[in-house]
Amino acid sequence: MNSKQQSSFTLNDIFSFFASVRLTVIVLLTLAVTSVIGTLIPQNQAHEDYFDAYGEVLYRLFSVLDFFDMYRSWWFQFLLLLLVINIIVCSFDRFPAAWKIISGSPVFQLSRFQKSSCQRKISIPSSFDNLQTHIEKTLSGKTKKIQIEHEGERYWMWGEKGRWTRIGVYIVHLSVVFLLAGGLIGSFFGFDGAVNIPEGEAVRNIRLFNSGKLLGLDFEVRCDKFSISFYETGAPSEYRSTLTILEEGIPVLTRDIIVNDPLSYKGINFFQSSYGTLPSQNLILSFRSTASGMEYREKISPGQTVTIPEGLGTFMIKAFNQDQKFMGRSIGNAFVGTLTTNGNEPVEVILPIKFPNFDKMRKGDVIVSVAESENRYYTGLQVTSDPGVWVVYTGFILMIAGCIVAFFMSHQQFCIEIKADGASSAISIYGIANKNKIAMKRKIDMIAEDLIKSLRQL
Amino acid sequence: MNSSGILSVVTFVYGIAAFLYLVSWIFKKKTPGRLATWTAYAALIGNITGIGMRWAESYQLGYGRAPLSNLYESLIFFSAMIAAVYLFVEKKYHNRVIGAFTMPLAFLAIAYASLSPSISDRIQPLLPALKSNWLIVHVVTCFIGYAAFTIAFGISIMYLIKERDLAGKNAFLDQFLTAPELDELNYQMIMFGFLFLSVGIITGAVWANSAWGRYWGWDPKETWSLITWFVYATLLHARMTRGWHGRKIAYLSVAGFAAMLFTYFGVNLLPGLHSYGAM
């Protein structure tokens, strides 16, 4: 018996710990402060870079604290979980009382009105008729319906509106639960990866970001064409890929995608994220002999070696660079080859596609350049699937709606007391609002002015 | 005159408005106050005209885009929003002293845009990543929120000054709203700003999802906007359910404003995807 009481006491303790707004304030501030860390330390970089940047001691410390991937760390996730538990427990703790008010029917409680800080008294000649009609007119729009109570010489006209708005804060809290639930669904059942597809080729496998593993899709994606357009300033204006979805080799859908306009198929989204150039497999090189002035053209593939006439040696294509650097500046796409002449050390020759005369600078016996090449683009796609996204979007809508209700709408009650007092009637105007008392005070003043004005006109 | 020229003149007009608000407060004169209000309206109208012209000019250049895509454009939009929210408050509360604490901030924003040599006012074409209908709604909602927080900051400073002189001895402070009124107005502004910040973050998330395939990626700008959101969310909870009032709320409002400023300017010093704002 005793031990049972003991345990229920601790349960209560735990409950009230989670139901406290003090916890909310602490967790929110802790989240705010700790979130800063991940913006100062670049996230998910190579560990060598961290080691170089912070030194051994800090590197070890940060590593233990998961600062290099802190938003996915156990302690940050724990804080988020704590916030959600706090929100849920708080809401369960308070909602029944709020619901009682929301679902209950209004009861006239004079004492509550009399205690309100929003009140005003005016006095008018009691010779008036139609006073009730005037008051009804003044209150219209401020209350749903007006009820009347009598007691001896006094009567009260009262009404209210916005009882339901007390639900606003619960909608906001529910929205946060939706956001984190959606995020959780996404991290369990979704994926995020990337794939490069050369023009004209189709792929089935994508590389996942987190694990680095390959994921096979149950359809193929082909890149029919990739193109870039530029503004007059030379800045890129649009990256466009034409994609075709193939089901068992049969095209089922062809569409262009650009940045901000992805393709969705079977819940999987393809985003334009990068591009690049693939070297031509068959190119024609030009060799111009400086001695004879003759130009020789030879077909070559990367990795292959050709012999140059006039005994000028052999040439091999060893690499292709998309962003070849020369004297610290980028000269764009370039093949890199090796020229071997009899009795000499092999020399490296750079063949930028944009600058055919580049090799003249070397001042060798032969000037090499790319005469023809069919370089292809490949498109870089980000591939994602997130079944939780609609839960998150529902959360977004709930949050906006909930904030509007919770901040700008209130439960407002009005009561006007009329008391015949000899030649004049004493009128007291009372208002109660669960939010924004200053606005309520102003409303009560407006009602008073309205009444005085409309009575003066008679 | 092109839009940059108009906006340079507008900068000057904002300066006059801010000066007149200060004069009307310090010398307790009605006329400079009335003049200040008219000047502020003129500045706001000129500011909006300048933004509209810049939009039209972008069409003449063949880019055709909303002028909301770099630091210069965001600053001139920011000053317009501060002025608009302030003039709304002035109309509603009939108090011009608030102008002495907020119009200088609108002036600072546009002066930074117009005068800083590191901020280019050239109309540049839109990067592919920014070509989206979400751009306008995302930037507009964020900056309405920022403007509301800026006004709340001005009001918090006024509260912190006023609250040290509750006896009403200091003659400079008798035109202020009462401390409880300032406190309530601060809170109202923060709720207004919080709603718009939330919508701004949400539209940004929806946009990010349609551009990059993820609605949240913890890049520094996103994270800092969330930090700002956390600070103001703390304030709202402390006020609504723990009954915090006055000084504590004013300090939290100042802290929120600092976080907002870092979200706006500071993040450009950090690496991330939101680098458009720094250009």
Side-chain angles (χ1 to χ4, degrees):
Chain A
M1 184 75 194
N2 202 5
S3 75
K4 204 177 166 189
Q5 264 180 352
Q6 195 72 33
S7 79
S8 80
F9 173 74
T10 9
L11 265 181
N12 256 338
D13 247 14
I14 293 170
F15 185 81
S16 55
F17 169 76
F18 280 118
S20 78
V21 182
R22 182 175 305 204
L23 179 69
T24 318
V25 169
I26 292 169
V27 173
L28 281 173
L29 281 180
T30 314
L31 279 168
V33 172
T34 52
S35 294
V36 176
I37 299 166
T39 68
L40 300 178
I41 300 173
Q43 298 288 290
N44 296 306
Q45 308 288 311
H47 278 255
E48 304 87 79
D49 296 346
Y50 288 128
F51 194 91
D52 290 345
Y54 300 112
E56 188 178 347
V57 178
L58 279 182
Y59 169 79
R60 275 174 196 279
L61 180 68
F62 289 175
S63 200
V64 167
L65 295 172
D66 271 336
F67 280 180
F68 302 135
D69 189 15
M70 67 152 279
Y71 302 110
R72 272 195 285 268
S73 69
W74 66 269
W75 59 266
F76 195 77
Q77 304 268 342
F78 171 77
L79 281 173
L80 289 174
L81 184 71
L82 203 57
L83 183 70
V84 172
I85 293 173
N86 180 230
I87 284 171
I88 294 173
V89 174
C90 266
S91 300
F92 271 105
D93 190 29
R94 287 147 205 255
F95 187 69
W99 184 247
K100 222 169 155 187
I101 301 177
I102 293 164
S103 60
S105 51
V107 183
F108 183 60
Q109 287 172 291
L110 181 61
S111 59
R112 282 195 62 226
F113 282 114
Q114 286 171 333
K115 266 186 256 162
S116 167
S117 60
C118 309
Q119 49 177 288
R120 175 118 176 231
K121 294 189 181 355
I122 55 176
S123 167
I124 57 159
S126 56
S127 55
F128 259 121
D129 15 287
N130 295 337
L131 183 58
Q132 278 194 16
T133 333
H134 277 288
I135 293 177
E136 270 169 20
K137 225 165 82 190
T138 322
L139 284 181
S140 71
K142 293 188 178 67
T143 62
K144 266 197 296 203
K145 70 172 191 198
I146 296 164
Q147 305 194 49
I148 301 180
E149 312 279 332
H150 287 273
E151 190 197 276
E153 287 292 277
R154 295 190 289 179
Y155 67 99
W156 298 271
M157 298 176 71
W158 65 282
E160 60 156 35
K161 74 164 182 185
R163 201 164 260 269
W164 66 275
T165 62
R166 288 174 182 268
I167 207 165
V169 58
Y170 301 99
I171 297 175
V172 178
H173 286 172
L174 186 66
S175 80
V176 177
V177 176
F178 267 78
L179 295 184
L180 289 158
L184 223 54
I185 293 172
S187 66
F188 278 121
F189 303 109
F191 61 79
D192 191 355
V195 66
N196 291 336
I197 316 177
E199 281 180 309
E201 288 181 29
V203 297
R204 186 180 286 272
N205 294 324
I206 61 159
R207 175 128 355 240
L208 298 178
F209 279 130
N210 284 344
S211 57
K213 285 185 188 137
L214 283 179
L215 176 81
L217 304 176
D218 46 359
F219 54 87
E220 283 182 293
V221 193
R222 189 174 70 204
C223 172
D224 299 326
K225 190 175 162 28
F226 175 82
S227 61
I228 323 171
S229 50
F230 296 91
Y231 293 107
E232 281 171 28
T233 59
S237 140
E238 187 181 88
Y239 307 110
R240 179 178 290 268
S241 300
T242 308
L243 300 183
T244 297
I245 303 286
L246 303 162
E247 290 269 22
E248 286 158 17
I250 301 156
V252 290
L253 173 70
T254 298
R255 233 199 77 183
D256 283 10
I257 64 163
I258 56 175
V259 182
N260 276 313
D261 186 17
L263 165 69
S264 291
Y265 185 73
K266 286 190 171 171
I268 297 169
N269 311 304
F270 298 88
F271 298 84
Q272 183 68 58
S273 72
S274 67
Y275 73 98
T277 312
L278 290 173
S280 173
Q281 286 309 302
N282 295 297
L283 62 157
I284 296 173
L285 292 185
S286 146
F287 300 96
R288 187 181 292 276
S289 157
T290 39
S292 67
M294 287 290 289
E295 186 196 10
Y296 306 97
R297 294 200 163 202
E298 299 287 343
K299 270 191 184 167
I300 191 172
S301 303
Q304 202 189 339
T305 307
V306 291
T307 309
I308 311 167
E310 295 186 23
L312 291 166
T314 60
F315 192 83
M316 189 195 79
I317 299 276
K318 65 170 186 183
F320 175 77
N321 281 335
Q322 287 186 50
D323 189 24
Q324 180 67 45
K325 294 280 191 294
F326 178 73
M327 314 262 291
R329 290 186 57 182
S330 172
I331 50 173
N333 292 324
F335 286 95
V336 181
T338 315
L339 177 68
T340 315
T341 45
N342 296 336
N344 290 322
E345 285 283 301
V347 277
E348 186 175 86
V349 180
I350 297 170
L351 307 173
I353 290 166
K354 267 196 271 180
F355 308 104
N357 290 326
F358 186 82
D359 192 38
K360 267 189 190 164
M361 278 191 302
R362 191 169 48 86
K363 296 196 163 63
D365 294 335
V366 61
I367 300 161
V368 191
S369 67
V370 178
E372 281 174 40
S373 72
E374 291 169 350
N375 293 330
R376 283 182 305 166
Y377 281 122
Y378 67 83
T379 183
L381 304 179
Q382 179 155 1
V383 186
T384 70
S385 165
D386 187 351
V389 82
W390 292 106
V391 180
V392 172
Y393 281 16
T394 308
F396 286 166
I397 292 166
L398 287 176
M399 172 162 291
I400 296 171
C403 279
I404 291 172
V405 175
F407 295 160
F408 304 112
M409 295 178 168
S410 59
H411 180 199
Q412 305 177 0
Q413 294 160 280
F414 296 92
C415 170
I416 298 185
E417 181 190 79
I418 301 105
K419 189 172 151 194
D421 189 11
S424 61
S425 296
I427 296 185
S428 310
I429 305 155
Y430 302 102
I432 302 172
N434 65 332
K435 290 166 214 158
N436 201 353
K437 304 244 158 36
I438 287 185
M440 180 47 106
K441 260 184 201 152
R442 206 173 299 130
K443 263 190 191 163
I444 295 298
D445 284 339
M446 258 161 58
I447 291 174
E449 308 303 330
D450 252 25
L451 271 179
I452 293 166
K453 209 194 289 170
S454 68
L455 296 177
R456 220 178 263 146
Q457 280 167 359
L458 289 168
Chain B
M1 196 188 262
N2 69 0
S3 62
S4 304
I6 295 242
L7 289 164
S8 306
V9 176
V10 167
T11 307
F12 186 63
V13 181
Y14 269 113
I16 297 174
F19 177 72
L20 287 170
Y21 275 114
L22 285 166
V23 167
S24 110
W25 165 44
I26 291 164
F27 296 101
K28 299 186 186 177
K29 289 282 189 298
K30 269 261 153 72
T31 318
R34 237 176 261 134
L35 226 67
T37 304
W38 287 114
T39 319
Y41 273 108
L44 175 59
I45 290 165
N47 197 341
I48 291 167
T49 312
I51 293 170
M53 279 176 63
R54 196 175 165 90
W55 203 331
E57 284 162 17
S58 80
Y59 274 94
Q60 284 158 20
L61 287 169
Y63 307 146
R65 58 170 185 79
L68 297 168
S69 69
N70 57 24
L71 186 54
Y72 176 82
E73 292 172 348
S74 73
L75 279 167
I76 59 176
F77 186 72
F78 188 31
S79 63
M81 287 303 105
I82 297 174
V85 175
Y86 164 69
L87 286 169
F88 172 77
V89 170
E90 181 186 307
K91 205 165 170 60
K92 207 169 162 197
Y93 290 84
H94 308 286
N95 187 291
R96 289 204 175 95
V97 192
I98 299 168
F101 285 81
T102 51
M103 281 314 270
L105 299 171
F107 168 66
L108 280 180
I110 196 167
Y112 181 38
S114 297
L115 304 176
S116 167
S118 61
I119 298 177
S120 161
D121 64 355
R122 270 190 46 207
I123 300 180
Q124 301 278 15
L126 222 44
L127 296 170
L130 292 179
K131 284 187 177 173
S132 166
N133 292 329
W134 290 104
L135 172 70
I136 296 180
V137 49
H138 172 59
V139 176
V140 167
T141 48
C142 284
F143 277 89
I144 293 175
Y146 285 6
F149 291 144
T150 305
I151 307 284
F153 166 75
I155 292 169
S156 300
I157 298 297
M158 290 174 76
Y159 178 88
L160 292 172
I161 298 170
K162 178 81 177 178
E163 175 242 24
R164 299 167 65 167
D165 180 50
L166 285 178
K169 281 180 197 150
N170 191 330
F172 278 126
L173 306 183
D174 54 7
Q175 301 166 80
F176 277 38
L177 291 174
T178 63
E181 280 171 334
L182 285 171
D183 180 49
E184 179 68 27
L185 184 55
N186 186 12
Y187 175 56
Q188 294 292 330
M189 273 296 126
I190 286 163
M191 287 196 292
F192 181 75
F194 189 79
L195 173 66
F196 276 92
L197 177 66
S198 305
V199 177
I201 294 175
I202 287 169
T203 52
V206 175
W207 182 10
N209 193 40
S210 75
W212 302 314
R214 52 153 193 79
Y215 51 82
W216 196 260
W218 296 106
D219 99 81
K221 191 98 167 178
E222 287 173 351
T223 308
W224 269 98
S225 71
L226 188 67
I227 292 167
T228 310
W229 194 88
F230 281 144
V231 174
Y232 285 112
T234 308
L235 185 155
L236 292 172
H237 281 91
R239 166 98 184 197
M240 283 178 171
T241 47
R242 292 199 64 79
W244 284 21
H245 277 266
R247 192 186 305 186
K248 282 178 176 171
I249 293 292
Y251 282 139
L252 270 176
S253 173
V254 172
F257 180 69
M260 183 214 97
L261 282 185
F262 197 85
T263 308
Y264 188 4
F265 301 109
V267 166
N268 295 331
L269 310 171
L270 307 168
L273 283 165
H274 255 94
S275 48
Y276 327 112
M279 293 185 288

